[in-house]
Amino acid sequence: MLPTFGAGAYYLYKKFNKEIKHETDEELVNDKIQWLRYIDTISVNNPILQVQTPEFSLAPTTKDVQSKHKLKGIKIFQEPENSYAPFRQLTQVVDIHGQHYELTLRKSLIEKDDLLKNIIYVMLLAFGGLLFFVILSNFFISKRIWRPFYNSLDKLHGLQLSQMETPQFPASDTHEFNQLNTVLNNMTTRIYQDYVSMKELTEDAAHEMQTPLAIVQSKLELLIQDPALTEEQLKTIAQSSDELQRLSRLNHNLLLLAKIENNQFTSTTLTDIAAVADKYLQLFEELIKEKQLQVNATIGNAQWKLHPALADILISNLLGNAIKYNREEGSIHILLEADRLVISNTSDYPEIPAANVFQRFKKNNQAYSNSNGLGLAISRKITDTCGLSLTYNYADDQHIFTVTATR
């Protein structure tokens, strides 16, 4: 609309200006005819005339007679206003009783320019008002029309996978928005059904696998006690038992991850993180002594909104890793504040790549050969779903894990 209004204003200006010049030129031509008639009637033999005024000039000249007048715009200095004013001028060389005279007629354009400016000013005001009205109307109309769309968008922003069974998007007078809401309803319903199916499959598979794993483990334990077995057979059975235990832990951890992702651990009460840290320091005391580790713990009061089971898993994973992957006679530093837990440990192993540290099944060193690669992934999932943040740094030969309470 702005280019259209601008072009319209320019066209109006040019049109008005052209019409004013045309009318002024007609007045000048008419005045010329009147003056020529008047001069032609003067009963003087070979008169030599010379008349000079701002709007009329008649002076002898040696120029040739012109059959047609010339028109142009000029500016003449006005002493009262001390400025130049626009005029329209007509000039023509005429013959009067055998003598050549240059006839000059002028018409002031001051009033006509003022009229033109006023008209343009009014038109620009009208265009500006119309533009403002259109923009304002469009704003309120668009706001009303698009309200159902933004309502649906807000519902999508606040939608959680575990609460998608009955999403309701508001109806609208706009056909396209109703079509969009229908598609969104169908889409979210299908996603929720797939989510429920996957959740049930994960839980059922994990539960069903526990029983045969336990049976096979017990059978292997009985078989390993058979005195008739050779040393090579015993070694093979022991390796099979170790791998079976590892598979059992993997199954348990995958089930735990699925439960965390499905928000099956919710808590509305505060958990004493200091008590959990003290508990696992006591539980891991034998492992700490076995490696001759030096533990420097500064444990303050910390109450976090975290399910007790998840608090146990988080602290045991981080502290267990700090012990398991530490060097002999190494050190562990623990700092617990109101909104922060920092666990750092020495190690003979290099920095873990930032891209892999919290990913599942990522083993970056032979030191992790006995691990299923899910401990840190589970810890990260716990912090992500419970309003905490977990970060990893490596500095001064120390692996540093920091848990921060963000809410």
Side-chain angles (χ1 to χ4, degrees), residues 146-160 167-170 180-181 184 188:
W146 285 88
R147 187 178 295 118
F149 171 79
Y150 287 111
N151 289 339
S152 300
L153 200 62
D154 289 339
K155 281 187 173 292
L156 287 176
H157 278 305
L159 207 58
Q160 295 184 6
Q168 294 294 329
F169 296 98
L180 175 64
N181 290 340
L184 288 175
T188 52

Side-chain angles (χ1 to χ4, degrees), residues 320-335:
N321 282 345
I323 297 171
K324 184 177 181 180
Y325 302 114
N326 213 320
R327 66 168 71 105
E328 295 289 337
E329 299 182 358
S331 63
I332 298 175
H333 296 271
I334 302 173
L335 172 64

Side-chain angles (χ1 to χ4, degrees), residues 50-264:
Q50 184 167 352
V51 182
Q52 183 75 37
T53 68
E55 296 189 354
F56 175 77
S57 174
L58 182 65
T61 183
T62 57
K63 297 178 182 179
D64 295 333
V65 175
Q66 297 172 337
S67 60
K68 189 175 181 180
H69 56 257
K70 295 180 180 178
L71 294 163
K72 66 177 181 179
I74 63 169
K75 288 186 178 293
I76 299 177
F77 184 75
Q78 303 289 303
E79 292 185 2
E81 289 83 13
N82 195 30
S83 63
Y84 285 89
F87 279 78
R88 194 70 177 164
Q89 178 177 282
L90 179 149
T91 59
Q92 186 178 1
V93 178
V94 298
D95 181 273
I96 301 177
H97 301 301
Q99 178 70 37
H100 293 183
Y101 291 88
E102 184 174 21
L103 175 64
T104 303
L105 296 171
R106 300 185 184 95
K107 285 286 185 181
S108 173
L109 295 178
I110 295 177
E111 294 181 358
K112 295 180 176 62
D113 271 4
D114 290 341
L115 175 62
L116 181 63
K117 290 178 183 177
N118 288 332
I119 293 174
I120 295 300
Y121 177 73
V122 171
M123 294 304 297
L124 288 177
L125 272 181
F127 283 156
L130 178 61
L131 179 63
F132 175 76
F133 175 75
V134 169
I135 292 175
L136 194 64
S137 301
N138 185 66
F139 171 76
F140 286 110
I141 293 172
S142 296
K143 188 176 180 181
R144 181 179 62 84
I145 291 177
W146 285 88
R147 187 178 295 118
F149 171 79
Y150 287 111
N151 289 339
S152 300
L153 200 62
D154 289 339
K155 281 187 173 292
L156 287 176
H157 278 305
L159 207 58
Q160 295 184 6
L161 193 59
S162 59
Q163 302 173 354
M164 286 173 55
E165 61 271 23
T166 55
Q168 294 294 329
F169 296 98
S172 168
D173 295 332
T174 306
H175 174 67
E176 289 77 10
F177 290 160
N178 285 329
Q179 285 184 312
L180 175 64
N181 290 340
T182 300
V183 172
L184 288 175
N185 279 318
N186 294 335
M187 181 187 69
T188 52
T189 300
R190 288 197 301 270
I191 291 175
Y192 178 73
Q193 290 172 350
D194 292 343
Y195 158 75
V196 171
S197 299
M198 185 64 67
K199 176 182 175 183
E200 292 176 351
L201 174 64
T202 304
E203 293 176 351
D204 293 344
H207 283 299
E208 292 299 324
M209 287 175 63
Q210 290 288 3
T211 301
L213 286 174
I215 294 174
V216 173
Q217 183 67 37
S218 64
K219 295 294 184 183
L220 288 176
E221 290 175 356
L222 290 175
L223 183 60
I224 206 170
Q225 298 174 13
D226 189 345
L229 296 175
T230 65
E231 184 177 350
E232 188 67 27
Q233 289 174 329
L234 287 173
K235 183 178 179 181
T236 302
I237 294 173
Q239 290 176 344
S240 300
S241 178
D242 290 341
E243 291 300 318
L244 192 63
Q245 289 179 359
R246 182 170 175 271
L247 179 61
S248 179
R249 291 196 303 271
L250 176 62
N251 181 68
H252 175 268
N253 287 337
L254 287 174
L255 177 61
L256 178 61
L257 266 174
K259 288 182 177 180
I260 295 172
E261 290 174 346
N262 296 337
N263 293 320
Q264 292 182 238

